[in-house]
Amino acid sequence: MLIELSHIQRLYRSEEVETSALHDIDFSVKTSEFVAIMGPSGCGKSTFLNILGTIDRPTSGSYRFEEKELTTLNEATLAAFRRENLGYIFQNFNLIDDLTIERNIELALTYRNIPKSQRRERIAWAMDHVGIAHRAKHYPSQLSGGQQQRAAIARAIVGKPKLILADEPTGNLDTENGSQVMDILQRLNDEGATIIMVTHSPGHADLAGRRVDILDGRIVLSVSAAL
Ligand code: ADP
């Protein structure tokens, strides 16, 4: 297994109230799976994705990545873990406005020990892969939403992460650009990438190999697509 969550719980506590965002979640993902996560607003999808991305910590339970327990690691070790293993794609692209597309992509390689020539190669490969190479010197504001999301995918894949986490990657795109983004994610998955994607689109969820539905902080359905 690439990832294994067991008995994951996430409580938010304030002085007056306690909200249980995730209850007793058991979930595992194999290398090269493409999993879509669905569920109504407030059901716990963001909390779930944040825990998978190690941006948030569970209140209790175990999260193992390649057999290694992550919940006991300190923040610095986790940051190094994220850089090496995870790629993130967001609904709002999250590109840095005053950096060119190629510089935005290069940022994902910061603090990694990769020689300069190899960096160039990797960045060129990532841009080619999403069809954005001709926009390398442009700034995000000069690109359409679809192009910005493709650049953000290049940033997510340039470090060759073991897991790609996508939070409603087509949520801000029109149908045509959304389909292009899904085509790219499917192609990456066909090439072996492991992807976990939150989506509100049943059509896009159907393109993944497995669909998981969350309701009130629990996994209520997990179905694999027919081959
Ligand atoms: P979704 O992404 O499916 O909309 P979330 O994971 O954002 O759901 O939220 C799950 C539940 O946890 C909701 O009831 C939400 O109000 C609560 N929640 C999320 N973040 C916090 C927080 N920082 N403090 C308190 N409650 C939170």
Side-chain angles (χ1 to χ4, degrees):
M1 281 301 164
L2 180 66
I3 67 180
E4 264 183 300
L5 270 57
S6 57
H7 302 301
I8 288 287
Q9 190 176 29
R10 177 65 167 104
L11 291 174
Y12 289 108
R13 292 194 185 95
S14 72
E15 279 174 19
E16 297 93 50
V17 286
E18 191 173 82
T19 309
S20 179
L22 296 176
H23 317 269
D24 203 27
I25 297 259
D26 289 330
F27 177 71
S28 51
V29 176
K30 294 193 198 98
T31 296
S32 299
E33 270 199 271
F34 186 175
V35 183
I37 313 274
M38 295 197 80
S41 182
C43 73
K45 300 181 300 296
S46 307
T47 306
F48 189 49
L49 210 65
N50 288 343
I51 284 176
L52 289 169
T54 74
I55 292 162
D56 188 15
R57 287 179 188 264
T59 310
S60 59
S62 154
Y63 177 6
R64 283 154 38 105
F65 192 99
E66 293 186 318
E67 316 283 310
K68 194 172 163 189
E69 181 61 49
L70 298 183
T71 54
T72 51
L73 298 181
N74 65 30
E75 200 41 53
T77 315
L78 265 188
F81 164 82
R82 283 196 285 273
R83 277 199 298 277
E84 285 294 322
N85 295 289
L86 305 183
Y88 303 88
I89 302 167
F90 306 94
Q91 182 175 358
N92 299 320
F93 327 133
N94 282 4
L95 296 166
I96 295 176
D97 289 339
D98 54 5
L99 294 180
T100 61
I101 294 306
E102 63 183 355
R103 291 278 175 237
N104 263 284
I105 297 168
E106 189 176 13
L107 266 193
L109 300 176
T110 312
Y111 306 119
R112 284 174 153 232
N113 217 356
I114 303 169
K116 199 160 188 182
S117 61
Q118 220 178 318
R119 266 171 204 260
R120 289 233 167 84
E121 261 170 47
R122 286 260 200 116
I123 295 164
W125 166 83
M127 288 193 300
D128 259 357
H129 227 65
V130 299
I132 204 80
H134 60 304
R135 295 286 183 262
K137 307 282 183 205
H138 286 63
Y139 289 88
S141 62
Q142 298 171 310
L143 268 53
S144 70
Q147 289 171 327
Q148 288 188 53
Q149 192 58 306
R150 285 190 275 137
I153 296 173
R155 179 185 56 188
I157 64 174
V158 71
K160 309 218 169 167
K162 290 183 181 144
L163 174 63
I164 297 172
L165 296 167
D167 192 1
E168 294 189 46
T170 61
N172 276 358
L173 300 177
D174 59 30
T175 310
E176 170 66 23
N177 281 298
S179 304
Q180 281 185 15
V181 161
M182 287 309 301
D183 284 347
I184 291 170
L185 293 180
Q186 278 188 293
R187 183 154 46 82
L188 289 167
N189 178 240
D190 288 342
E191 292 164 0
T194 311
I195 304 174
I196 301 176
M197 169 184 78
V198 167
T199 182
H200 281 297
S201 160
H204 290 172
D206 285 345
L207 300 173
R210 175 155 57 116
R211 171 174 160 177
V212 169
D213 282 16
I214 299 185
L215 191 63
D216 295 335
R218 297 174 202 277
I219 291 179
V220 291
L221 176 78
S222 177
V223 280
S224 297
L227 290 176

